[in-house]
Amino acid sequence: MPPFVIHYVYKENGGLYTGYNVAYSYIETELCVCIDSDDYMPSDAVEKILKHWNERPRNKEFCGLLGLDFNVVDCNPIGGWFPEEISEAYQIEIPHRGDTKQVMRTDLMRLVAPQIGFRGEKDFNPFYMLMQILDKYPILVVNENFCWVEYQIGADSMSQGIWRQYRRSPRSYSKYRISEMKLQHGNSWTRKFLLCIHYVSSCIFSKDKNWLNNTPLKGLTLCAIPFGVVLALFVLWKNRFYT
Protein backbone atom coordinates (compact mmCIF):
# COMPACT_ATOMS: atom_id res chain seq x y z
CA MET A 1 0.00 0.00 0.00
CA PRO A 2 1.45 3.42 -0.94
CA PRO A 3 2.38 5.90 1.82
CA PHE A 4 -0.25 8.36 2.94
CA VAL A 5 -0.32 11.58 4.95
CA ILE A 6 -2.18 11.94 8.23
CA HIS A 7 -3.65 15.39 8.88
CA TYR A 8 -4.25 16.27 12.53
CA VAL A 9 -6.85 18.99 13.12
CA TYR A 10 -7.44 20.29 16.64
CA LYS A 11 -10.71 21.71 17.90
CA GLU A 12 -12.08 22.38 21.36
CA ASN A 13 -14.66 19.95 22.70
CA GLY A 14 -18.09 21.09 21.60
CA GLY A 15 -19.79 17.73 21.36
CA LEU A 16 -19.27 14.75 19.06
CA TYR A 17 -21.31 16.18 16.21
CA THR A 18 -19.10 19.30 16.02
CA GLY A 19 -16.11 17.02 15.45
CA TYR A 20 -17.97 15.43 12.55
CA ASN A 21 -18.74 18.88 11.14
CA VAL A 22 -15.07 19.84 11.13
CA ALA A 23 -14.03 16.48 9.67
CA TYR A 24 -16.43 16.73 6.73
CA SER A 25 -15.00 20.13 5.87
CA TYR A 26 -11.50 18.62 5.53
CA ILE A 27 -12.04 15.15 4.03
CA GLU A 28 -10.82 14.83 0.43
CA THR A 29 -11.30 11.09 -0.15
CA GLU A 30 -14.26 9.41 -1.87
CA LEU A 31 -15.19 7.48 1.29
CA CYS A 32 -15.05 8.41 4.95
CA VAL A 33 -15.53 6.67 8.28
CA CYS A 34 -15.53 7.79 11.91
CA ILE A 35 -13.61 5.76 14.49
CA ASP A 36 -13.94 6.65 18.17
CA SER A 37 -10.72 7.50 20.00
CA ASP A 38 -10.79 4.27 22.04
CA ASP A 39 -11.50 2.04 19.01
CA TYR A 40 -9.34 1.02 16.06
CA MET A 41 -9.66 -0.60 12.65
CA PRO A 42 -8.15 -3.99 11.70
CA SER A 43 -4.82 -3.73 9.89
CA ASP A 44 -6.43 -4.79 6.60
CA ALA A 45 -9.62 -2.71 6.94
CA VAL A 46 -8.74 -0.17 4.24
CA GLU A 47 -7.91 -2.92 1.74
CA LYS A 48 -11.18 -4.74 2.50
CA ILE A 49 -13.23 -1.56 2.21
CA LEU A 50 -11.71 -0.58 -1.13
CA LYS A 51 -12.06 -4.12 -2.49
CA HIS A 52 -15.78 -4.32 -1.71
CA TRP A 53 -16.40 -0.77 -2.90
CA ASN A 54 -14.62 -1.27 -6.22
CA GLU A 55 -16.51 -4.53 -6.80
CA ARG A 56 -19.94 -3.01 -6.10
CA PRO A 57 -22.76 -3.40 -8.63
CA ARG A 58 -22.72 -0.43 -10.99
CA ASN A 59 -26.39 -0.60 -11.95
CA LYS A 60 -27.53 1.29 -8.83
CA GLU A 61 -26.30 3.99 -6.49
CA PHE A 62 -25.08 3.16 -2.97
CA CYS A 63 -24.32 5.53 -0.09
CA GLY A 64 -21.41 3.41 1.18
CA LEU A 65 -20.61 0.19 2.99
CA LEU A 66 -21.84 -1.26 6.28
CA GLY A 67 -19.43 -3.43 8.24
CA LEU A 68 -19.36 -4.96 11.71
CA ASP A 69 -17.92 -3.79 15.01
CA PHE A 70 -16.04 -6.55 16.84
CA ASN A 71 -15.60 -6.75 20.61
CA VAL A 72 -11.91 -6.85 21.54
CA VAL A 73 -12.72 -9.06 24.55
CA ASP A 74 -14.35 -12.05 22.85
CA CYS A 75 -13.36 -11.24 19.24
CA ASN A 76 -16.97 -11.65 18.07
CA PRO A 77 -19.23 -9.25 16.13
CA ILE A 78 -21.29 -7.16 18.52
CA GLY A 79 -24.87 -8.26 18.01
CA GLY A 80 -23.86 -11.13 15.74
CA TRP A 81 -23.40 -11.39 11.99
CA PHE A 82 -25.56 -9.86 9.30
CA PRO A 83 -27.96 -12.31 7.62
CA GLU A 84 -25.92 -14.03 4.89
CA GLU A 85 -28.60 -13.48 2.25
CA ILE A 86 -28.39 -9.68 2.56
CA SER A 87 -25.72 -8.04 0.43
CA GLU A 88 -27.42 -4.66 0.08
CA ALA A 89 -30.33 -2.97 1.83
CA TYR A 90 -31.58 0.19 3.49
CA GLN A 91 -29.81 0.00 6.83
CA ILE A 92 -32.84 0.47 9.06
CA GLU A 93 -34.45 -2.59 7.43
CA ILE A 94 -31.54 -4.92 8.28
CA PRO A 95 -32.45 -7.26 11.19
CA HIS A 96 -29.34 -6.57 13.25
CA ARG A 97 -29.30 -4.99 16.69
CA GLY A 98 -25.58 -4.82 17.31
CA ASP A 99 -23.05 -2.11 16.63
CA THR A 100 -22.05 -1.47 13.04
CA LYS A 101 -19.63 0.73 11.16
CA GLN A 102 -20.74 2.89 8.24
CA VAL A 103 -18.22 3.83 5.58
CA MET A 104 -19.98 6.63 3.74
CA ARG A 105 -19.57 8.53 0.50
CA THR A 106 -18.06 11.89 1.38
CA ASP A 107 -20.01 13.77 -1.28
CA LEU A 108 -23.33 12.62 0.19
CA MET A 109 -22.32 13.45 3.76
CA ARG A 110 -21.35 16.95 2.71
CA LEU A 111 -24.91 17.45 1.50
CA VAL A 112 -26.25 17.13 5.06
CA ALA A 113 -23.33 18.71 6.92
CA PRO A 114 -22.80 20.72 8.99
CA GLN A 115 -25.20 19.43 11.59
CA ILE A 116 -27.13 22.05 13.50
CA GLY A 117 -26.83 22.33 17.26
CA PHE A 118 -28.46 23.88 20.29
CA ARG A 119 -26.73 26.25 22.68
CA GLY A 120 -25.54 24.46 25.82
CA GLU A 121 -26.22 20.97 24.44
CA LYS A 122 -23.30 18.73 23.40
CA ASP A 123 -25.10 15.38 23.08
CA PHE A 124 -26.70 15.72 19.64
CA ASN A 125 -25.99 12.36 18.02
CA PRO A 126 -24.21 12.82 14.64
CA PHE A 127 -26.22 9.84 13.37
CA TYR A 128 -28.78 12.58 12.67
CA MET A 129 -26.78 13.35 9.52
CA LEU A 130 -26.29 9.70 8.61
CA MET A 131 -30.02 8.95 8.85
CA GLN A 132 -30.82 11.47 6.15
CA ILE A 133 -28.54 9.65 3.69
CA LEU A 134 -29.25 6.07 4.82
CA ASP A 135 -32.97 6.64 4.25
CA LYS A 136 -32.43 7.72 0.64
CA TYR A 137 -29.84 5.23 -0.60
CA PRO A 138 -29.19 1.51 -0.04
CA ILE A 139 -25.91 0.50 1.54
CA LEU A 140 -23.60 -2.42 0.72
CA VAL A 141 -23.61 -4.97 3.54
CA VAL A 142 -20.21 -6.50 4.33
CA ASN A 143 -20.05 -9.37 6.82
CA GLU A 144 -16.54 -8.50 7.97
CA ASN A 145 -14.81 -6.71 10.81
CA PHE A 146 -14.43 -3.00 10.13
CA CYS A 147 -13.63 -1.91 13.69
CA TRP A 148 -12.37 -3.25 17.00
CA VAL A 149 -14.39 -1.84 19.90
CA GLU A 150 -13.52 -1.73 23.58
CA TYR A 151 -16.48 -0.58 25.64
CA GLN A 152 -15.82 2.02 28.31
CA ILE A 153 -17.48 1.25 31.61
CA GLY A 154 -18.80 3.96 33.92
CA ALA A 155 -21.07 6.96 34.02
CA ASP A 156 -18.95 8.89 31.52
CA SER A 157 -19.34 6.34 28.73
CA MET A 158 -21.97 7.09 26.09
CA SER A 159 -23.99 3.92 26.73
CA GLN A 160 -23.90 4.19 30.51
CA GLY A 161 -24.57 7.92 30.53
CA ILE A 162 -27.52 7.92 28.14
CA TRP A 163 -29.98 8.97 30.86
CA ARG A 164 -27.88 12.01 31.65
CA GLN A 165 -27.80 12.89 27.96
CA TYR A 166 -31.60 12.73 27.74
CA ARG A 167 -31.80 15.22 30.58
CA ARG A 168 -29.11 17.69 29.57
CA SER A 169 -29.76 17.80 25.79
CA PRO A 170 -33.55 17.61 25.37
CA ARG A 171 -33.84 19.88 22.33
CA SER A 172 -31.23 17.81 20.51
CA TYR A 173 -33.07 14.59 21.28
CA SER A 174 -36.47 15.95 20.29
CA LYS A 175 -35.00 17.06 16.94
CA TYR A 176 -33.41 13.63 16.55
CA ARG A 177 -36.74 11.86 17.24
CA ILE A 178 -38.54 14.03 14.70
CA SER A 179 -35.99 13.00 12.10
CA GLU A 180 -36.51 9.34 13.00
CA MET A 181 -40.29 9.68 12.72
CA LYS A 182 -39.88 10.87 9.13
CA LEU A 183 -37.86 7.87 7.95
CA GLN A 184 -39.44 6.11 4.99
CA HIS A 185 -37.80 2.72 5.51
CA GLY A 186 -38.24 0.23 8.35
CA ASN A 187 -40.47 2.49 10.43
CA SER A 188 -43.18 0.26 11.89
CA TRP A 189 -46.04 1.79 13.88
CA THR A 190 -44.63 0.21 17.03
CA ARG A 191 -41.32 1.92 16.46
CA LYS A 192 -43.03 5.21 15.65
CA PHE A 193 -44.98 5.04 18.89
CA LEU A 194 -41.78 4.48 20.88
CA LEU A 195 -40.25 7.47 19.13
CA CYS A 196 -43.28 9.57 20.09
CA ILE A 197 -42.85 8.54 23.74
CA HIS A 198 -39.22 9.68 23.70
CA TYR A 199 -40.20 12.85 21.87
CA VAL A 200 -42.80 13.76 24.51
CA SER A 201 -40.25 13.14 27.26
CA SER A 202 -37.67 15.39 25.59
CA CYS A 203 -40.23 18.16 25.03
CA ILE A 204 -41.13 18.07 28.73
CA PHE A 205 -37.51 18.74 29.66
CA SER A 206 -37.03 21.41 26.99
CA LYS A 207 -40.37 23.07 27.87
CA ASP A 208 -41.19 23.24 24.18
CA LYS A 209 -44.54 25.03 23.75
CA ASN A 210 -44.71 24.08 20.06
CA TRP A 211 -44.22 20.35 20.66
CA LEU A 212 -47.48 19.32 18.98
CA ASN A 213 -46.99 21.54 15.94
CA ASN A 214 -43.46 20.21 15.43
CA THR A 215 -44.22 16.49 15.47
CA PRO A 216 -45.04 14.87 12.11
CA LEU A 217 -47.17 12.25 13.93
CA LYS A 218 -49.63 14.39 15.88
CA GLY A 219 -52.24 11.73 16.65
CA LEU A 220 -49.70 9.15 17.73
CA THR A 221 -47.85 11.76 19.78
CA LEU A 222 -51.04 12.65 21.64
CA CYS A 223 -51.56 8.98 22.47
CA ALA A 224 -47.97 8.80 23.72
CA ILE A 225 -48.34 11.61 26.28
CA PRO A 226 -48.96 9.43 29.38
CA PHE A 227 -46.04 7.17 28.49
CA GLY A 228 -43.83 10.16 27.75
CA VAL A 229 -44.59 11.59 31.19
CA VAL A 230 -43.65 8.27 32.79
CA LEU A 231 -40.42 8.17 30.80
CA ALA A 232 -39.57 11.73 31.87
CA LEU A 233 -40.09 10.77 35.51
CA PHE A 234 -37.91 7.70 34.99
CA VAL A 235 -35.15 9.86 33.46
CA LEU A 236 -35.32 12.16 36.49
CA TRP A 237 -35.06 9.14 38.77
CA LYS A 238 -32.04 7.82 36.85
CA ASN A 239 -30.40 11.24 37.22
CA ARG A 240 -31.17 11.61 40.93
CA PHE A 241 -27.49 11.39 41.93
CA TYR A 242 -26.30 13.94 39.39
CA THR A 243 -26.46 17.71 39.61
Side-chain angles (χ1 to χ4, degrees):
M1 186 174 180
F4 59 91
V5 177
I6 296 177
H7 295 277
Y8 172 79
V9 179
Y10 173 82
K11 70 171 294 296
E12 293 184 359
N13 181 13
L16 184 60
Y17 76 94
T18 63
Y20 274 63
N21 287 344
V22 172
Y24 289 138
S25 68
Y26 279 92
I27 295 172
E28 299 176 349
T29 54
E30 180 182 8
L31 300 173
C32 60
V33 60
C34 176
I35 306 295
D36 291 344
S37 59
D38 51 350
D39 301 335
Y40 57 96
M41 302 186 82
S43 58
D44 61 346
V46 174
E47 288 86 351
K48 287 191 295 187
I49 289 169
L50 291 178
K51 176 180 180 295
H52 287 287
W53 183 245
N54 291 330
E55 293 176 352
R56 71 189 184 278
R58 301 291 177 156
N59 60 341
K60 64 174 64 176
E61 191 172 9
F62 297 95
C63 63
L65 305 99
L66 182 68
L68 293 162
D69 282 358
F70 271 54
N71 194 319
V72 298
V73 177
D74 59 16
C75 298
N76 288 317
I78 301 172
W81 301 91
F82 297 127
E84 292 185 2
E85 67 274 12
I86 298 179
S87 60
E88 58 185 70
Y90 288 94
Q91 181 174 338
I92 197 172
E93 296 179 344
I94 301 174
H96 184 272
R97 294 186 175 277
D99 289 353
T100 58
K101 191 62 61 193
Q102 297 87 6
V103 181
M104 303 294 291
R105 280 172 46 191
T106 304
D107 63 328
L108 294 180
M109 294 310 303
R110 283 210 175 103
L111 294 177
V112 295
Q115 180 169 312
I116 62 170
F118 297 92
R119 184 181 298 274
E121 298 189 3
K122 295 184 177 182
D123 302 308
F124 203 165
N125 193 325
F127 201 79
Y128 175 83
M129 286 186 281
L130 282 170
M131 280 193 297
Q132 298 174 61
I133 300 301
L134 294 172
D135 197 43
K136 294 179 180 179
Y137 299 90
I139 195 166
L140 293 168
V141 180
V142 181
N143 239 334
E144 296 191 51
N145 180 7
F146 278 10
C147 185
W148 288 105
V149 175
E150 182 176 5
Y151 280 113
Q152 297 297 310
I153 305 300
D156 290 331
S157 69
M158 177 171 278
S159 58
Q160 296 295 324
I162 189 67
W163 304 108
R164 293 174 64 187
Q165 295 175 34
Y166 287 162
R167 183 67 182 90
R168 68 193 179 194
S169 298
R171 289 174 295 174
S172 299
Y173 271 97
S174 63
K175 186 71 173 179
Y176 188 86
R177 301 308 181 194
I178 289 174
S179 181
E180 287 185 293
M181 293 179 200
K182 294 179 179 179
L183 294 178
Q184 299 298 311
H185 297 93
N187 236 354
S188 66
W189 283 106
T190 300
R191 185 175 185 275
K192 288 180 179 178
F193 187 60
L194 292 174
L195 293 174
C196 289
I197 292 173
H198 278 269
Y199 173 74
V200 169
S201 173
S202 296
C203 289
I204 290 174
F205 290 128
S206 65
K207 300 179 181 179
D208 184 2
K209 296 180 180 179
N210 295 315
W211 62 276
L212 188 56
N213 288 330
N214 292 334
T215 175
L217 302 172
K218 292 179 173 53
L220 207 58
T221 301
L222 287 172
C223 294
I225 290 176
F227 303 94
V229 172
V230 172
L231 177 58
L233 293 173
F234 183 72
V235 171
L236 288 174
W237 181 79
K238 293 290 288 189
N239 282 277
R240 64 194 184 280
F241 297 124
Y242 301 107
T243 57

